[in-house]
Amino acid sequence: MFILVTIAILAGLALILLINRSSTPVAAEKAYYQPRGADQQRLERLAPAQFERLCIRLLEEMGLVINSFNSNKHGKIDITAVNPQPITGGDYIIHCVLASPDEPIDSTRIIALSDTVRAEGASKGIFITTGFFSEEVPKLIEGPPLELINGQRLRQILGEHRISLA
């Protein structure tokens, strides 16, 4: 019995060492949230009006019905929409931000979206940016369901819906 317990303890320590040597979840998240490539720069160089049209078109292509939107000259758009699908549908609050290539979207903006979703009683919040999120953003787990779409993922979604940046 003593030998079996000793082997189990040694195996546990070996697994702990292997886990510590592997890449951390933060490193994997950081790689996903960083901006990349020339296509990303084209996305970041969109004029605010172009970005607004792009976001609205994408949401409509995805089957959402836009109820209202409010935009400013700096590329920030607040949209309320409805997903008419039974079971998975509901009211959505969407924040779209034409981001600066040097500044990540920090957690305060995500918390603000979460608070808005909760206050409005929406089913889901979506944050779309042409930039990237700071490292602490993926660690936010409390609150209503949120979907975070950075520039890299936005390009993928645009491609899936055959929407060009031009």
Side-chain angles (χ1 to χ4, degrees):
M1 184 70 169
F2 177 74
I3 294 173
L4 188 58
V5 170
T6 305
I7 291 172
I9 290 172
L10 291 174
L13 290 173
L15 287 173
I16 290 171
L17 288 173
L18 286 174
I19 289 171
N20 285 336
R21 288 188 177 184
S22 68
S23 67
T24 64
V26 173
E29 291 168 353
K30 185 175 180 180
Y32 180 74
Y33 286 91
Q34 295 298 321
R36 289 195 169 62
D39 222 19
Q40 180 67 32
Q41 292 173 351
R42 276 192 14 200
L43 193 58
E44 290 168 350
R45 282 191 230 138
L46 288 172
Q50 290 173 308
F51 181 62
E52 178 182 312
R53 286 191 302 272
L54 184 74
C55 288
I56 290 172
R57 181 169 176 219
L58 175 63
L59 295 171
E60 288 174 341
E61 288 283 329
M62 295 176 82
L64 297 179
V65 177
I66 307 293
N67 286 339
S68 67
F69 70 93
N70 183 12
S71 62
N72 66 19
K73 297 176 188 174
H74 306 293
K76 183 176 182 287
I77 309 158
D78 296 325
I79 301 171
T80 59
V82 174
N83 182 347
Q85 296 294 320
I87 300 174
T88 60
D91 295 328
Y92 287 13
I93 307 279
I94 302 115
H95 286 192
C96 304
V97 175
L98 185 60
S100 164
D102 301 327
E103 294 180 32
I105 302 297
D106 63 4
S107 61
T108 56
R109 288 179 151 181
I110 306 306
I111 292 168
L113 173 61
S114 178
D115 291 345
T116 303
V117 169
R118 188 176 301 121
E120 297 290 327
S123 303
K124 185 177 189 176
I126 303 172
F127 198 103
I128 301 172
T129 182
T130 56
F132 61 101
F133 298 100
S134 63
E135 289 181 21
E136 79 267 8
V137 168
K139 298 173 188 169
L140 300 174
I141 56 172
E142 291 184 22
L146 297 179
E147 186 166 348
L148 306 177
I149 300 172
N150 67 3
Q152 181 181 357
R153 180 71 180 124
L154 179 57
R155 283 193 326 276
Q156 290 172 351
I157 294 170
L158 290 170
E160 290 167 8
H161 291 278
R162 294 181 180 87
I163 298 173
S164 68
L165 294 175

